Amino acid sequence: MRSEWNWSQCLLEADPQRNRVSCLRQSELRETKRAASIMAKMFCGVLVLAVILSGLDAARPAVNQELSTLFNELWRLDVNRLTPGIDYTVSVQGRANYVSQGSHVVQDRASQPLFSNVNEIKLNNITTTSWLMKLLDNYERSTGVAERVTTEEQVETNLFLDAVLQTEVMKRAHQYLVSKGQSRSDLRQFKNQLKLIWFNLYHRQRNTGMDSCGFEHVFVGETKSGTEIIGFHNWIQFYLQEKNSHLDYKGYKARTHDLPDQDDHVLNLQFSWHSLVKPVGSAFIGTSPEFEMALFTVLFLMSTERSTTVLVNIDQCQMELVVIRHGRSLGTAYPKLLSSNNRHVPQHSH
């Protein structure tokens, strides 16, 4: 600590009156400097805190209001969405434990299947879902194994896309993309654009044939190197694989204060599939394939970044939507539930 001003030295000066004034001025100057130093340190502290807080805000993206508005419009147009408790019933059961990627050891926190029933008659009577289910067995499960597309499979793909393009959901998404200059108004050209994004085959694993595409990865699911599940973000495939005993639901993944329930249309899940474990997966629940394709197509075309994440509010949920490109095609796309049942909406006291 610096020593206090030495008044005794001042009093020994030859002219006491003059030097007393000089000493007072020097003392005042020192006090002023010390106060300025304290204020500077306080300002620096406030500045550092502001930088830290701004960094936290930057790490937490703002809600994309334009896309939230569009996606809620698509949500309302999704007449092929199934109704929880009527068309299907889910049981979320227990919270899944942490499991490292590639591990086969997992504690089962769900003794029952996720889906206790689904109205398959309704699924088969909806044109888009019935064609979707025909596509689910068209792919090799393991990456590294080249896909062989038959003429019959090409016909199924075209009929599925035709059905999707006839829905109000995809018509509205197409209209939005045309208004943004990302798609042509011609329906045939837009269909080719969807085919390139979702069904164009590419190499997911090096030194192999064309072994993957966006649709297979997102809607069907794949396995990699015989050790892990990749993709697999569709609820209909989840239900069918669970029904046929190929998949075992292990429990939900969520924060303590935001527990899921049977009405949620997005769930974060843990499950095993053909003896491999997906530590954390996610999927829309009950939604139509055209709704999911429309959301992720819009995100894909509205960004040129390899990886895009947007924060949106849809219905009563707040979620991140993630899209990762693979050149001109889709690498993966999935929702990540952050909050449900309007828990993200600020509560005002009355």
Side-chain angles (χ1 to χ4, degrees), residues 234-277:
N234 180 253
W235 74 274
I236 296 175
Q237 170 73 336
F238 193 105
Y239 161 68
L240 293 173
Q241 292 296 302
E242 187 176 56
K243 175 189 172 184
N244 293 319
S245 302
H246 299 313
L247 184 151
D248 185 15
Y249 171 61
K250 301 297 184 182
Y252 68 85
K253 299 290 287 185
R255 295 175 294 186
T256 304
H257 63 280
D258 197 17
L259 304 181
D261 59 40
Q262 66 273 13
D263 295 332
D264 286 352
H265 279 288
V266 184
L267 290 176
N268 299 329
L269 312 161
Q270 185 178 99
F271 60 94
S272 63
W273 185 44
H274 292 282
S275 302
L276 302 179
V277 176

Side-chain angles (χ1 to χ4, degrees), residues 75-89:
W75 177 265
R76 290 188 294 271
L77 290 171
D78 191 16
V79 296
N80 290 332
R81 182 174 65 251
L82 270 60
T83 305
I86 297 176
D87 299 319
Y88 67 91
T89 305

Side-chain angles (χ1 to χ4, degrees), residues 7 15 26 32 80 90 129 226 228 239 247 253 309 338:
W7 280 95
D15 190 341
Q26 291 183 48
T32 301
N80 290 332
V90 299
T129 55
E228 60 182 298
Y239 161 68
L247 184 151
K253 299 290 287 185
T309 301
L338 300 180

Side-chain angles (χ1 to χ4, degrees), residues 194-202 212-214 326 328-330:
L194 291 177
K195 192 178 291 186
L196 175 62
I197 293 169
W198 289 94
F199 292 95
N200 180 54
L201 292 175
Y202 52 72
S212 185
C213 69
H326 193 287
R328 298 171 65 196
S329 300
L330 184 69

Side-chain angles (χ1 to χ4, degrees), residues 286-335:
T287 50
S288 70
E290 60 264 28
F291 176 80
E292 297 175 39
M293 287 187 74
L295 259 62
F296 294 126
T297 298
V298 167
L299 290 181
F300 181 91
L301 291 173
M302 290 302 294
S303 173
T304 57
E305 299 295 324
R306 181 183 178 275
S307 178
T308 301
T309 301
V310 297
L311 181 64
V312 293
N313 295 330
I314 303 177
D315 191 44
Q316 298 182 4
C317 295
Q318 184 169 92
M319 68 192 78
E320 288 180 342
L321 297 178
V322 180
V323 165
I324 298 177
R325 308 174 73 88
H326 193 287
R328 298 171 65 196
S329 300
L330 184 69
T332 189
Y334 56 90

Side-chain angles (χ1 to χ4, degrees), residues 69-109:
T69 299
L70 173 67
F71 294 162
N72 275 288
E73 188 178 349
L74 299 182
W75 177 265
R76 290 188 294 271
L77 290 171
D78 191 16
V79 296
N80 290 332
R81 182 174 65 251
L82 270 60
T83 305
I86 297 176
D87 299 319
Y88 67 91
T89 305
V90 299
S91 175
V92 295
Q93 302 170 73
R95 184 199 305 274
N97 293 330
Y98 170 79
V99 176
S100 60
Q101 185 67 266
S103 174
H104 302 315
V105 180
V106 56
Q107 184 178 0
D108 197 341
R109 302 301 303 276

Side-chain angles (χ1 to χ4, degrees), residues 127-128 131-132 134-135 152-166 191 195:
T127 307
T128 52
W131 279 115
L132 171 76
K134 288 181 174 66
L135 300 181
E152 181 185 1
E153 290 171 350
Q154 288 178 337
V155 170
E156 290 174 347
T157 297
N158 278 310
L159 290 171
F160 170 69
L161 285 174
D162 288 340
V164 165
L165 286 166
Q166 289 173 14
K191 179 182 176 180
K195 192 178 291 186

